[in-house]
Amino acid sequence: MEMEMEMEAPLPPHVLIFPLPLQGHINSMLKLAEVLSLAGIRVTFLNTHHSHRHLTHNSDVHAHFSRFPGFRFATITDGLPPAHLRTFHHFFHLVTSFDAVTKPLFRHMLVSGHFGSDLTCVILDGFFKFLVDADDDGVRIPILGFRTVSACSIWAYLSVPDLIQDGQLPIRGEEDMDRMIRNVAGMKNVLRCRDLPGFCRVTDPNDPLLQFLVKLTLRSSGFHSLILNSFEDLEAPILSKIRTLCPKMYTIGPLHALLKAKSANQSQHQSSLNNLWEVDRSCLAWLDAQPPNSVIYVSFGSITVMGDQELMEFWHGLVNSGTNFLWVIRPDLVTSKNGKCDEIPAELEEGTRKRGYMVGWAPQEEVLSHGAVGGFLTHSGWNSTLEGIAAGKPMICWPYAADQQVNSRFVSHVWKVGLDMKDVCDRETVAKMVNDLMVNRREEFMRSAAKFANLAKQSVSPGGSSYADFDRLVEDIRLLSQQKKIET
């Protein structure tokens, strides 16, 4: 009697993903991890100890990802003491600690096979290029880079050395802020000094953080390949410029929309919230009671901070606009001694009771897709910008730092889906812009927003550019896995 030999099925490729420990980076890279898992790729997701504690306390990630047998979480130290605030104001502390403590530990983990001898490749946050030296022969695993920011901001960073050499930087004070930036290919008559990445607002062109970020961006070409959370119909002219330096590139955004498209046939699929903050879902019931397109959603993301006076100007402006508003006020949004204003004027309390609702953190994707929401007042972080574009919601942009300055300019002057309020914070401007967005110029902005929302949907649908690029990424990861098996 002949015995049939059962052949063991080969293990699928195994990818390690490591994000920068900030909400926006972790959120988008968890979505990348999920869409790769749906494609049959095994994923190990590496977080810092500190971020992972917050993530598991405030979200359902362990339960959510448990349906993927090959998925697992791992952690690594960021080198900082437990009591360290880890806010954006201390960002350079995080960078130096990663360089001194995390980098050698991470290298040892890769070289020693800590994550498994079957590791196919690593997808590093594009910010983390400095964790693996280009000339390190000990690390023989392909390193892909995932940039969580916009292509237009990447191109702006890449242009900084030329702007310094050309004498256009540094910026020479407030009177210089509206000077147009010249000779940036693909951005003619777009950027002013105030629209450059936030780190360019230094008087010394040799500022350590500015130089670090510029060098880091230039090193993007050292990745095996580059993954961007963007799509061709949104940033095609800029993407073509970046491809001259990084020819092997995948544009797979909007990533949250791609994830929905790839999981659409899973009737029981629900997206994980991936939050470092506790979500208050009561705002959805409040939205259900509001008329269509009547609410402006206000959220300044996970790292923006403001003083009491700025908070009050926004609050007065929202109430004075007469528009219904849903406002996310994180526990650490306000930099006062108590994190709260000591005295709230009666008219603000009354106006908020009539037309407003406030929460500590909101399920943003659900909020933006709600029919009652007609506009979005945002800090212009790239995740929020893409979520607003995909939902077809016009935006008012109040950028805080980094790539947000560039994003807000493109929202208002290139894509024309909103208004740019950068470097201004007074109640009259807030009220006027809310009224322009929601009433006076509503049809104009809704036309542009609807156009880009449709293009975003097409990009992540079968036959779309992002859908195809993601399939190409998966296929290339499989090829890397096969090559590794042949070599071993």
Side-chain angles (χ1 to χ4, degrees):
M1 178 177 175
E2 292 186 2
M3 301 280 295
E4 290 188 4
M5 299 291 292
E6 291 188 6
M7 300 292 291
E8 287 189 12
L11 286 173
H14 177 198
V15 174
L16 174 70
I17 297 179
F18 189 11
L20 185 71
L22 295 175
Q23 168 75 55
H25 293 245
I26 293 171
N27 181 28
S28 58
M29 293 189 79
L30 272 171
K31 284 181 167 55
L32 175 62
E34 186 169 357
V35 75
L36 285 173
S37 296
L38 286 168
I41 305 293
R42 288 179 298 140
V43 175
T44 296
F45 197 88
L46 182 63
N47 264 326
T48 64
H49 302 321
H50 180 268
S51 293
H52 197 63
R53 280 195 300 272
H54 282 272
L55 182 66
T56 53
H57 180 72
N58 293 305
S59 74
D60 62 347
V61 288
H62 276 300
H64 184 79
F65 283 95
S66 64
R67 72 188 195 280
F68 301 117
F71 188 96
R72 67 186 178 102
F73 284 103
T75 58
I76 192 171
T77 183
D78 60 14
L80 296 170
H84 193 282
L85 292 177
R86 294 171 174 82
T87 63
F88 192 76
H89 286 299
H90 299 93
F91 185 66
F92 204 55
H93 293 171
L94 181 69
V95 171
T96 53
S97 182
F98 258 88
D99 193 40
V101 180
T102 312
K103 177 178 177 176
L105 180 59
F106 180 62
R107 182 196 179 279
H108 174 73
M109 287 175 161
L110 290 180
V111 172
S112 66
H114 175 85
F115 301 107
S117 59
D118 61 348
L119 191 62
T120 303
C121 63
V122 177
I123 301 179
L124 271 185
D125 193 304
F127 189 89
F128 276 160
K129 185 66 182 76
F130 69 95
L131 290 184
V132 181
D133 293 323
D135 57 353
D136 190 342
D137 292 334
V139 179
R140 300 182 180 277
I141 303 168
I143 309 292
L144 287 67
F146 179 80
R147 294 307 307 258
T148 61
V149 296
S150 60
C152 54
S153 67
I154 293 171
W155 189 242
Y157 272 121
L158 288 168
S159 303
V160 168
D162 290 337
L163 296 179
I164 293 173
Q165 186 175 6
D166 196 31
Q168 297 191 65
L169 287 178
I171 299 169
R172 298 178 292 273
E174 182 61 34
E175 69 281 359
D176 208 26
M177 294 297 279
D178 289 320
R179 172 170 53 85
M180 294 299 296
I181 296 296
R182 310 181 312 275
N183 303 328
V184 177
M187 293 184 176
K188 185 179 180 181
N189 297 323
V190 174
L191 298 182
R192 305 160 298 176
C193 288
R194 72 173 72 251
D195 304 315
L196 291 170
F199 294 108
C200 293
R201 297 187 178 195
V202 292
T203 57
D204 180 8
N206 296 313
D207 177 81
L209 187 53
L210 174 63
Q211 287 296 321
F212 173 83
L213 290 167
V214 169
K215 290 175 183 175
L216 180 148
T217 307
L218 289 169
R219 291 177 67 184
S220 293
S221 60
F223 283 117
H224 175 277
S225 50
L226 200 60
I227 307 168
L228 295 188
N229 186 13
S230 188
F231 61 102
E232 291 293 332
D233 283 324
L234 185 67
E235 297 195 274
I238 307 301
L239 290 168
S240 67
K241 302 297 181 187
I242 297 175
R243 284 192 181 96
T244 63
L245 301 175
C246 310
K248 194 164 188 179
M249 192 164 76
Y250 312 89
T251 55
I252 62 171
L255 193 47
H256 72 288
L258 177 69
L259 176 57
K260 288 179 183 177
K262 289 288 188 178
S263 57
N265 60 350
Q266 297 191 3
S267 59
Q268 296 183 341
H269 173 74
Q270 288 186 338
S271 180
S272 176
L273 294 175
N274 303 340
N275 288 302
L276 302 182
W277 299 93
E278 184 177 359
V279 173
D280 185 344
R281 299 185 63 83
S282 66
C283 60
L284 296 173
W286 181 82
L287 286 173
D288 288 341
Q290 309 309 312
N293 298 316
S294 67
V295 176
I296 185 159
Y297 170 58
V298 185
S299 176
F300 298 113
S302 60
I303 63 172
T304 301
V305 293
M306 63 177 66
D308 287 345
Q309 184 174 352
E310 290 173 310
L311 178 80
M312 297 305 291
E313 291 300 312
F314 272 113
W315 203 344
H316 275 287
L318 289 168
V319 169
N320 293 346
S321 74
T323 300
N324 298 344
F325 60 92
L326 168 60
W327 193 358
V328 174
I329 301 184
R330 295 188 334 266
D332 63 346
L333 175 67
V334 185
T335 56
S336 64
K337 56 187 176 183
N338 299 318
K340 299 177 182 177
C341 295
D342 292 330
E343 293 185 12
I344 300 173
E347 65 267 25
L348 292 188
E349 289 189 332
E350 178 65 18
T352 303
R353 266 197 304 272
K354 288 181 178 179
R355 291 187 297 276
Y357 198 82
M358 296 180 176
V359 293
W361 197 250
Q364 182 160 292
E365 288 180 45
E366 291 178 73
V367 167
L368 285 171
S369 64
H370 198 287
V373 173
F376 184 15
L377 173 48
T378 172
H379 67 306
S380 297
W382 190 234
N383 286 342
S384 291
T385 300
L386 278 180
E387 287 165 11
I389 286 172
K393 307 298 182 182
M395 288 171 267
I396 299 171
C397 303
W398 193 67
Y400 178 64
D403 63 310
Q404 299 162 16
Q405 316 294 338
V406 186
N407 300 340
S408 63
R409 183 66 168 178
F410 269 68
V411 163
S412 64
H413 281 70
V414 177
W415 305 317
K416 301 184 186 303
V417 292
L419 300 165
D420 189 356
M421 199 175 75
K422 66 163 60 80
D423 300 328
V424 178
C425 184
D426 63 77
R427 62 193 69 182
E428 291 81 12
T429 301
V430 173
K432 182 181 185 306
M433 285 202 172
V434 169
N435 276 308
D436 281 348
L437 193 82
M438 301 291 287
V439 182
N440 301 332
R441 299 174 62 186
R442 173 162 184 76
E443 290 187 10
E444 167 194 346
F445 289 126
M446 283 303 299
R447 281 195 300 271
S448 289
K451 180 187 79 171
F452 279 105
N454 185 52
L455 291 172
K457 184 177 181 180
Q458 289 177 17
S459 75
V460 299
S461 301
S465 60
S466 295
Y467 195 100
D469 258 21
F470 176 75
D471 286 350
R472 185 167 60 89
L473 170 63
V474 170
E475 181 59 29
D476 287 350
I477 290 174
R478 295 190 189 282
L479 289 174
L480 287 175
S481 179
Q482 292 171 11
Q483 290 170 8
K484 181 180 177 67
K485 289 171 184 174
I486 292 172
E487 291 170 359
T488 56

